[in-house]
């Protein structure tokens, strides 16, 4: 607010300087927005989900059963946890990339396409280099995915920087191109699985597969080394954004491109770099799917992960840790949703509805505050409004 | 309608914005409310207009204690506020803007624009506003847009009108017109509050003056018995000097040598045409001129933010014509941008982050790709105290500081390093006297210690009091030079040159 009162301290003393270095305690309102609002949002979404089921003639006991299945299928067993993590991994990777773009003021809709291209590149490296030890082959396959995704996204960045073409349009177009490009590549003899007429790639060699982590407990546990990649990516993105000079440039350009330019930052280069980073993360998500779960590429293997990742990034408020948590939530909903379908016979579409409801409510904290006035500290309306 | 504020205190958490304020607003009178940026003027008026609830104290309307639950209730009670930033829909007509929110309706609830137009015309006539109700707001000059805001308030039958820094956006001619309107409103029996930090204006238009400092009323008085110096002292809390004290003029070698510089705008129109100028060590060169005569393009060309069409720029004997902004910055060129909000700072960054916005890559603040936040924060804290930036902490968001403190932050960033040439564009625009005095003294210090300074300002008084030499820009050209080798720096002559008169 422009009304900070003038404190009469013209003489600088060591203690004054120390005081300047003290951080304010986190705002109560901020804490509520970050923690309590999402919890309530999930609850409201589940309640509304139940009402939706009621409206579609699902009986009350079945609804109860389906929510129990949702919990069991997401966190109820080791297998459930393994499924949740497996589903969350690509969402978090791609979501981190999108969050990076948001921070730099870029709306990257192209994660889906970057993921497809990245997956394609890593599958090619994954099946075409026999006799390599895993310690070389696997990193190579991952790198190929990241590199391809990064380069693909950099096209949109370059278009924006050089011609001003808006990245929303160009990344949507690049998504369409990626879909068809993958279709085309899958019919090339060097890529298509031998003896198959349908578009399907050769399988990834064992030496390029992301190893399953819990195979020693139960061979059916699908959780794989991709989650280590995810954690590393969370740390890396956090470091880039908040600890590095390029992150400083990214954030400055995102908040105020004019001020960034006046400060001598090269906006064109920054745009291309951000897109390349974002694309690399999406490409890595594709590699994660191909090398950790699917073993090969089929048309549309991306399965909308690149689009769901946009919701994950928004839900995580473009903060790496937030993206991690949001991705886990979405992974849990997906894994639990499958169980819901199996045990209670409820449509998988319902899960999509609940996901959407959660996003709506988290995106509207004021609505949640209105619905649960007793859940929040009574806020003085004046302390929340700022004079320009 | 008479309004009395009694013992008003407003706190935001631990921050006290207003403390025990007593103030009476009477019909047929202009109350001037004077105070520095951040003194609590706007908070006080937001309390009065129902936007904030006071933490303590009461508002009495004609002796009756009143509590406003929101701006709506204050408007109903007849209190209207004309904000500094207009709240108008640009693509609507004047009449449509005026009725927005309180639309008169006719048969079957259809919008009755004819009545609205008629009412706007009546208000026009009563107060001599001369605004065409059918003109689109986006086509109107700022001064007329302000009148639309006034009509909006009058349309809601306000008896008390609060003007928040109304003259900040107006040209001198528009200010004169505005004062006529204020007088007409007063004579019609309205109670008026005029918030400002400009001393001359408050003395000219007010019937009574109250001075606010650090949230408290520190003085009230009759403008006929007060002088600018007395008011400034009340406002700042210490004597303010309007005269600039500087060392004798002793220019050294040439730092900046611009020859035959031509700059084009994006649409290929000529913005700067064939300008040559020099800035030497230990001198302040002022560029005077009415805004929009190519000054911005000149600054952008000098600082490496725009391409130049012809000519050369040398800094300390090195040709920098084709160097980037970053390279020029590294050579010791400092730049205070003309618009701090748009290009000088990032509102959503902390003070510390803003302090290193253009030096973050320096070894002091980063090592390789890693930011050295500890050093950044410590040096920022040092700069904050050195340059008297008033903030609770270096982690405060820059957008939360008052305008004067934001500008001091920008000045601190640009001047708290080894520089050779300072290019300061509108360095004190929109600031209060205390901040202006401070920034001027810093600029003089830089000159006295041997830096070269180029000042671009549309405030002629600022140029006159600081500069050793003055160049006047008109339509992209330097049309006159005053001081040293040129004509003596005389206000009238400069004013004429600014208006394009050739002697």
């Amino acid at each position: 607010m422009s009304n900070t009162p003038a404190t009469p301290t013209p003489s600088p003393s060591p203690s004054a300087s120390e005081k300047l270095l003290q951080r304010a305690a986190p705002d109560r309102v901020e804490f509520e927005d970050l923690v309590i609002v999402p919890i309530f949002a999930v609850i409201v979404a589940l309640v509304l989900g139940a009402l939706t089921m009621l409206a579609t003639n699902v009986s009350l006991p079945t609804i109860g059963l389906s929510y129990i299945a949702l919990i069991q299928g997401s966190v109820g067993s080791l297998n459930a946890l393994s499924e949740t993590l497996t589903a969350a991994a690509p969402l978090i990777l791609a979501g981190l990339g999108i969050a990076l773009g948001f921070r730099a003021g870029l709306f990257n809709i192209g994660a889906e396409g970057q993921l497809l291209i990245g997956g394609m590149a890593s599958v090619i490296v994954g099946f075409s280099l026999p006799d390599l030890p895993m310690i070389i082959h696997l990193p190579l396959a991952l790198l190929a995915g990241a590199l391809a995704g990064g380069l693909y996204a950099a096209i949109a960045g370059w278009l924006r920087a050089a011609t001003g073409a808006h990245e929303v349009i160009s990344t949507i177009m690049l998504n369409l191109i990626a879909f068809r490009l993958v279709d085309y590549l899958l019919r090339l003899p060097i890529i298509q699985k031998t003896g198959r007429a349908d578009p399907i790639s050769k399988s990834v060699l064992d030496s390029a597969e992301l190893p399953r982590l819990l195979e020693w407990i139960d061979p059916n546990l699908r959780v794989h080394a991709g989650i280590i990649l995810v954690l590393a990516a969370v740390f890396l993105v956090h470091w880039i954004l908040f600890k590095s000079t390029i992150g400083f440039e990214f954030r400055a350009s995102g908040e105020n491109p004019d001020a960034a330019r006046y400060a001598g930052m090269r906006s064109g280069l920054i745009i291309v770099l951000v897109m390349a980073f974002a694309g690399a993360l999406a490409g890595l998500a594709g590699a994660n799917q191909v090398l950790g779960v699917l073993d090969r590429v089929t048309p549309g293997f991306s399965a909308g992960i690149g689009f769901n990742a946009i919701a994950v990034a928004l839900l995580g408020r473009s903060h790496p840790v937030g993206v991690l948590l949001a991705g886990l939530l979405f992974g849990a909903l997906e894994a639990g949703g499958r169980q819901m379908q199996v045990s209670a016979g409820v449509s998988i579409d319902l899960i999509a509805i609940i996901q959407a409801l959660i996003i709506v409510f988290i995106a509207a904290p004021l609505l949640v505050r209105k619905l649960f006035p007793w859940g929040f500290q009574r806020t003085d309306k004046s302390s929340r409004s700022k004079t320009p | 309608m008479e309004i009395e504020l009694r013992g008003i205190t407003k706190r935001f958490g631990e921050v006290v914005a207003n403390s025990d304020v007593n103030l009476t607003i009477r019909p047929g009178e202009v109350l001037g409310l004077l105070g520095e940026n951040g003194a609590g003027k706007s908070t006080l008026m937001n309390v009065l207009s129902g936007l904030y609830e006071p933490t303590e104290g009461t508002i009495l309307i004609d002796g009756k204690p009143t509590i406003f639950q929101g701006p709506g209730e204050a408007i109903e009670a007849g209190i209207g506020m004309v904000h500094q930033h207009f709240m108008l829909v640009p693509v609507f007509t004047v009449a449509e803007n005026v009725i927005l929110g309180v639309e008169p309706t006719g048969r079957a609830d259809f919008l009755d624009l004819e009545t609205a137009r008629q009412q706007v015309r009546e208000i026009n006539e009563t107060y001599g506003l001369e605004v065409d109700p059918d003109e689109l707001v986006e086509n109107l000059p700022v001064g007329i847009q302000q009148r639309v805001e006034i009509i909006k308030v009058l349309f809601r039958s306000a008896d008390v009108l609060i003007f928040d820094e109304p003259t900040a956006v107006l040209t001198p001619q528009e200010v004169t017109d505005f004062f006529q309107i204020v007088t007409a409103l007063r004579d019609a029996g309205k109670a008026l509050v005029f918030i400002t930090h400009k001393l001359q204006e408050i003395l000219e238009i007010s019937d009574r003056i109250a001075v606010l400092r650090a949230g408290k009323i520190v003085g009230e008085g009759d403008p006929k018995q007060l002088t600018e110096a007395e008011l400034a002292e009340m406002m700042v809390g210490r004597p303010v000097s309007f005269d600039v004290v500087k060392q004798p003029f002793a220019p050294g070698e040439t730092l900046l040598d611009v020859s035959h510089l031509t700059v084009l705008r994006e649409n290929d129109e000529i913005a700067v045409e064939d300008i040559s100028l020099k800035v030497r060590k230990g001198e302040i060169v002022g560029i005077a001129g009415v805004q929009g005569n190519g000054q911005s393009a000149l600054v952008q060309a000098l600082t490496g933010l725009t391409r130049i069409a012809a000519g050369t720029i040398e800094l300390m004997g090195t040709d920098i014509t084709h160097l980037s902004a970053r390279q020029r910055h590294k050579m010791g060129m400092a730049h205070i941008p003309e618009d701090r909000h748009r290009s000088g700072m990032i509102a959503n960054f902390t003070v510390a982050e803003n302090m290193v916005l253009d030096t973050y890559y320096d070894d002091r603040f980063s090592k390789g790709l890693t930011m050295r936040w500890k050093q950044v924060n410590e040096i920022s804290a040092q700069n904050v105290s050195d340059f008297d930036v008033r903030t609770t902490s270096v982690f405060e968001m820059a957008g939360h500081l008052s305008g004067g403190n934001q500008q001091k932050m920008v000045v601190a960033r640009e001047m708290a390093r080894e520089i050779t040439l300072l290019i300061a564009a509108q360095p004190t625009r929109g600031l209060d006297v205390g901040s202006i005095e401070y920034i001027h003294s810093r600029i003089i210090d830089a000159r006295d210690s041997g830096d070269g300074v180029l000042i671009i300002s549309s405030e002629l008084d600022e140029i006159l009091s600081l500069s050793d030499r003055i160049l006047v820009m008109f339509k992209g050209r330097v049309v006159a030079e005053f001081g040293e080798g040129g004509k003596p720096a005389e206000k009238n002559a400069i004013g004429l040159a600014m208006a394009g008169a050739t002697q």
Side-chain angles (χ1 to χ4, degrees):
Chain A
M1 65 214 86
S2 63
N3 297 304
T4 331
T7 39
T9 51
S11 61
S13 61
S15 70
S17 164
E18 258 165 50
K19 205 170 154 235
L20 284 171
L21 285 168
Q22 273 166 14
R23 274 172 205 277
D27 199 345
R28 161 91 200 191
V29 174
E30 218 169 292
F31 167 77
E32 284 177 351
D33 271 352
L34 286 177
V35 180
I36 301 182
V37 168
I39 291 172
F40 278 120
V42 171
I43 294 170
V44 181
L46 291 177
V47 170
L48 282 179
L51 292 177
T52 314
M53 284 194 263
L54 268 181
T56 52
N57 288 331
V58 182
S59 68
L60 267 179
T62 319
I63 294 172
L65 207 65
S66 66
Y67 277 155
I68 292 171
L70 179 66
I71 292 166
Q72 275 181 343
S74 55
V75 294
S77 65
L78 195 58
N79 184 54
L81 282 172
S82 156
E83 285 304 304
T84 293
L85 290 176
T86 310
L91 287 170
I92 298 169
L93 284 171
L96 286 171
I98 290 165
L100 203 62
F102 283 155
R103 287 279 180 171
L106 293 172
F107 211 99
N108 171 20
I109 310 289
E112 187 82 356
Q114 294 143 22
L115 194 146
L116 281 165
I117 298 293
M120 196 72 218
S122 59
V123 90
I124 292 172
V125 173
F127 69 66
S128 59
L129 298 169
D131 306 324
L132 273 182
M134 180 185 241
I135 195 138
I136 296 172
H137 198 181
L138 176 58
L140 218 56
L142 288 170
L143 195 69
L147 221 57
L151 284 175
Y152 198 63
I155 298 173
W158 177 78
L159 284 172
R160 168 74 190 266
T163 71
H166 200 283
E167 72 278 1
V168 168
I169 312 278
S170 58
T171 51
I172 289 175
M173 295 304 148
L174 285 167
N175 280 346
L176 299 176
I177 294 171
F179 275 114
R180 297 301 152 238
L181 188 65
V182 166
D183 286 356
Y184 165 76
L185 290 173
L186 286 178
R187 292 194 184 272
L188 290 183
I190 48 160
I191 292 172
Q192 194 172 22
K193 194 177 178 88
T194 0
R196 291 286 287 262
D198 51 337
I200 186 166
S201 79
K202 296 189 173 105
S203 291
V204 173
L205 297 170
D206 284 350
S207 56
E209 266 181 25
L210 284 162
R212 294 195 172 177
L213 296 176
L214 300 177
E215 221 164 15
W216 48 278
I217 301 178
D218 178 348
N220 287 327
L221 293 176
R222 294 201 301 168
V223 63
H224 56 85
I227 59 165
I228 299 169
L229 211 62
V230 168
L231 287 179
V234 170
F235 277 108
L236 180 73
V237 170
H238 191 274
W239 181 83
I240 289 176
L241 273 179
F242 303 114
K243 307 281 178 197
S244 80
T245 51
I246 41 172
F248 188 70
E249 290 172 345
F250 287 0
R251 287 186 295 123
S253 319
E255 290 284 356
N256 185 345
D258 252 325
R261 199 169 64 85
Y262 271 62
M265 300 177 190
R266 292 200 282 170
S267 56
L269 184 71
I270 290 171
I271 289 170
V272 176
L273 263 182
V274 170
M275 285 305 288
F277 267 116
L281 285 159
L284 216 50
N288 172 83
Q289 285 308 85
V290 166
L291 306 175
V293 182
L294 303 168
D295 260 2
R296 49 190 148 80
V297 166
T298 50
F301 77 94
S302 50
I305 290 170
F307 296 121
N308 284 336
I310 299 173
V312 168
L314 284 172
L315 199 55
R317 287 166 202 260
S318 301
H319 191 285
V321 178
V323 171
L324 175 71
L325 296 176
L328 287 173
L329 175 67
F330 271 54
L333 284 170
E334 197 183 314
R338 286 197 294 260
Q339 186 67 33
M340 243 168 120
Q341 195 177 19
V342 174
S343 329
V346 176
S347 159
I348 191 87
D349 296 332
L350 191 73
I351 279 295
I353 294 177
I354 294 176
Q355 278 181 348
L357 287 171
I358 293 177
I359 297 169
V360 167
F361 283 108
I362 293 185
L366 281 180
L367 182 61
V368 175
R369 280 170 189 278
K370 279 264 156 63
L371 283 172
F372 301 97
W374 38 266
F376 301 94
Q377 195 183 45
R378 201 191 146 272
T379 46
D380 182 359
K381 61 178 182 296
S382 60
S383 69
R384 284 177 63 79
S385 55
K386 280 166 188 161
T387 47
Chain B
M1 189 169 84
E2 184 170 306
I3 294 181
E4 193 188 341
L5 300 174
R6 198 178 281 172
I8 297 285
T9 296
K10 175 69 194 170
R11 290 193 203 95
F12 297 97
E14 283 171 23
V15 178
V16 185
N18 290 137
S19 152
D20 193 25
V21 172
N22 296 300
L23 204 61
T24 312
I25 301 162
R26 302 188 191 106
E29 189 184 70
V30 179
L31 170 69
L33 188 59
L34 184 71
E36 282 193 282
N37 289 322
K41 303 178 301 254
S42 302
T43 309
L44 187 64
M45 288 306 119
N46 284 334
V47 166
L48 182 56
S49 62
L51 212 59
Y52 295 161
E53 250 174 72
T55 318
E56 282 161 35
T58 36
I59 301 171
L60 300 161
I61 295 186
D62 289 331
K64 263 199 339 238
T66 311
I67 295 167
F68 296 131
Q69 293 292 347
E73 289 186 17
I75 291 169
E76 236 164 82
I79 299 174
M81 184 137 172
V82 176
H83 291 272
Q84 190 178 355
H85 303 278
F86 303 150
M87 315 211 169
L88 299 169
V89 184
V91 294
F92 277 16
T93 65
V94 170
E96 285 168 338
N97 265 290
V98 167
I99 60 171
L100 200 61
V102 287
E103 299 87 355
T105 47
R107 239 175 302 146
D109 262 4
F110 278 109
L111 189 61
D112 188 359
L113 254 178
E114 194 36 56
T115 309
R117 275 204 286 272
Q118 192 49 44
Q119 276 170 300
V120 170
R121 271 186 223 115
E122 277 166 23
I123 295 172
N124 262 334
E125 271 167 39
T126 317
Y127 303 103
L129 293 173
E130 294 168 19
V131 181
D132 177 3
D134 296 317
E135 188 63 67
L136 286 183
V137 161
E138 63 184 353
N139 297 338
L140 297 174
V142 175
I144 306 293
Q145 289 191 14
Q146 186 174 53
R147 293 187 199 178
V148 179
E149 286 281 4
I150 296 172
I151 295 174
K152 259 169 80 177
V153 173
L154 293 171
F155 185 79
R156 288 156 179 75
S157 41
D159 291 317
V160 179
L161 281 84
I162 306 166
F163 295 97
D164 189 5
E165 305 269 358
T167 57
V169 287
L170 303 182
T171 64
Q173 181 54 40
E174 285 174 331
V175 171
T176 313
D177 295 345
F178 171 71
F179 281 176
Q180 278 173 7
I181 294 168
V182 169
T183 313
L185 288 168
R186 181 192 59 195
D187 294 345
K190 305 281 181 194
L192 302 158
V193 183
F194 180 83
I195 306 176
T196 189
H197 57 250
K198 292 187 183 166
L199 303 168
Q200 262 174 337
E201 288 177 0
I202 206 159
L203 283 171
E204 187 181 337
I205 194 70
S206 310
D207 298 309
R208 197 157 51 89
I209 296 177
V211 183
L212 207 58
R213 186 173 79 230
K216 293 194 183 81
I217 298 279
V218 292
E220 264 191 84
D222 181 350
K224 290 184 202 76
Q225 288 155 17
L226 285 164
T227 64
E228 280 190 40
E230 285 166 344
L231 278 177
E233 186 170 344
M234 267 198 243
M235 176 161 116
V236 184
R238 60 182 164 78
V240 178
S241 91
F242 290 99
D243 301 315
V244 170
V245 187
K246 50 185 183 183
Q247 301 284 323
F249 180 50
E253 63 199 82
T254 302
L255 284 173
L256 181 74
D257 191 346
V258 179
S259 61
H260 305 293
L261 181 72
T262 297
V263 184
L264 302 180
R265 285 185 223 282
E266 269 178 35
N267 55 9
D268 283 346
E269 271 174 34
I270 290 177
V272 171
E273 191 175 3
D274 194 28
I275 282 190
S276 298
L277 64 88
K278 283 187 171 74
V279 179
R280 290 164 296 178
K281 278 189 165 181
E283 77 168 341
I284 298 179
V285 176
I287 298 209
V290 178
Q291 256 192 311
N293 276 292
Q295 298 98 319
S296 305
L298 175 66
V299 171
Q300 296 215 337
L302 294 180
T303 51
L305 292 165
T306 192
R307 213 169 293 178
I308 67 171
T312 55
I313 306 168
E314 280 181 17
L315 184 61
M316 293 180 295
T318 314
D319 186 358
I320 60 163
T321 314
H322 300 292
L323 295 189
S324 70
R326 174 67 51 85
Q327 284 164 319
R328 297 182 198 202
H329 183 262
K330 280 182 178 168
M331 289 176 71
M333 183 190 275
H335 173 203
I336 298 172
E338 62 176 343
D339 184 338
R340 62 176 168 273
H341 292 288
R342 237 194 62 193
S343 42
M345 55 168 257
I346 295 178
N348 273 338
F349 269 22
T350 63
V351 171
E353 286 174 317
N354 272 291
M355 279 287 182
V356 294
L357 202 58
D358 54 9
T359 44
Y360 63 93
Y361 58 85
D362 191 283
D363 286 343
R364 285 180 299 162
F365 304 126
S366 59
K367 198 176 165 192
L369 282 177
T370 315
M371 292 293 296
R372 303 168 75 172
W373 284 119
K374 195 164 171 292
Q375 278 87 329
V376 171
N377 296 336
E378 277 168 11
I379 290 178
S380 297
Q382 191 59 49
N383 291 349
V384 162
S385 13
D386 285 356
F387 284 78
D388 193 27
V389 183
R390 303 204 179 147
T391 174
T392 48
S393 128
V394 296
F395 302 109
E396 182 74 63
M397 289 294 153
H400 292 181
L401 303 187
S402 68
N405 285 311
Q406 290 173 343
Q407 185 72 1
K408 283 195 240 173
M409 177 183 77
V410 173
V411 170
R413 176 181 73 219
E414 296 304 323
M415 297 183 70
R417 63 183 183 112
E418 287 292 311
I419 58 170
T420 49
L421 177 73
L422 172 68
I423 298 178
Q426 316 289 357
T428 61
R429 180 152 64 186
L431 303 189
D432 52 76
V433 276
S435 304
I436 292 175
E437 186 199 21
Y438 187 81
I439 288 172
H440 281 179
S441 74
R442 281 288 177 166
I443 291 173
I444 299 281
D445 286 349
R447 164 211 186 253
D448 289 348
S449 68
D451 300 334
V453 181
L454 185 67
I455 283 201
I456 297 88
S457 174
S458 47
E459 299 269 344
L460 186 51
D461 287 333
E462 174 165 58
I463 294 279
L464 274 168
S465 67
L466 290 178
S467 311
D468 299 305
R469 284 192 297 131
I470 296 170
L471 306 176
V472 179
M473 267 185 91
F474 181 72
K475 291 195 172 162
R477 287 173 162 276
V478 170
V479 292
E481 181 172 351
F482 297 89
E484 220 195 5
K487 286 156 274 190
E490 197 260 321
K491 194 169 178 176
N492 277 339
I494 299 175
L496 280 172
M498 282 166 68
T502 42
Q503 288 119 318

